[in-house]
């Protein structure tokens, strides 16, 4: 079992920055990722990090603006979001995977970007 605790969401203006945090506990995992869900839209992949290697991957819509990172000692992953756009408005979820599938999910944190 993996428990995920998210924080850092809020209301910001377009062009502002926000940093999300996800603290993981419990069983070991291979990767931690971020997904987002906006009303009326499908869940969208945002970013992921391979825990052992530190390799990172990003969805096309956030490349160049978002950065994922980890703190191994704290078992925490961060999502630094810069140049935020109204289209980034969504509930952001942290997720963990042991192998391929993301089986563990956080409660979500709301990010709202006003124009």
């Amino acid at each position: 079992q993996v428990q995920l605790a998210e924080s850092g969401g809020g209301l910001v203006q377009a062009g502002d920055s926000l940093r999300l945090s996800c603290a993981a506990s419990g069983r070991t995992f291979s990767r931690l990722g971020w997904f987002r869900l906006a009303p009326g839209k499908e869940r969208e992949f945002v970013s992921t990090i391979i825990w052992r290697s530190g390799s990172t991957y990003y969805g096309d819509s956030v490349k160049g603006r978002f950065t994922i990172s980890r703190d191994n000692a704290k078992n925490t992953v961060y999502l630094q979001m810069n140049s935020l756009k109204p289209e980034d408005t969504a509930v952001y979820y942290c997720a963990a995977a042991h192998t391929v599938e993301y089986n563990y999910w956080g409660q979500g944190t709301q990010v709202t970007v006003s124009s």
Side-chain angles (χ1 to χ4, degrees):
Q1 193 73 20
V2 178
Q3 293 81 45
L4 304 173
E6 298 155 294
S7 62
L11 173 63
V12 297
Q13 294 270 79
D16 285 352
S17 298
L18 208 57
R19 188 190 191 191
L20 307 183
S21 299
C22 175
S25 61
R27 293 185 61 191
T28 57
F29 46 84
S30 63
R31 64 192 194 277
L32 287 175
W34 290 95
F35 295 79
R36 65 187 183 185
L37 181 64
K41 298 183 179 180
E42 294 185 352
R43 185 179 63 196
E44 179 185 16
F45 169 75
V46 175
S47 183
T48 192
I49 185 166
I50 310 302
W51 204 255
R52 187 179 298 274
S53 66
S55 299
T56 59
Y57 304 88
Y58 299 92
D60 290 340
S61 63
V62 305
K63 286 180 179 177
R65 299 189 297 120
F66 291 8
T67 303
I68 191 170
S69 62
R70 59 155 158 58
D71 185 328
N72 289 7
K74 297 181 179 180
N75 254 16
T76 298
V77 65
Y78 305 96
L79 184 67
Q80 179 66 44
M81 304 184 294
N82 298 328
S83 301
L84 283 164
K85 307 174 181 179
E87 307 93 273
D88 296 318
T89 296
V91 178
Y92 284 71
Y93 296 91
C94 180
H98 293 302
T99 54
V100 177
E101 186 177 354
Y102 289 95
N103 293 316
Y104 308 96
W105 296 83
Q107 80 284 356
T109 184
Q110 177 70 48
V111 173
T112 303
V113 185
S114 64
S115 59

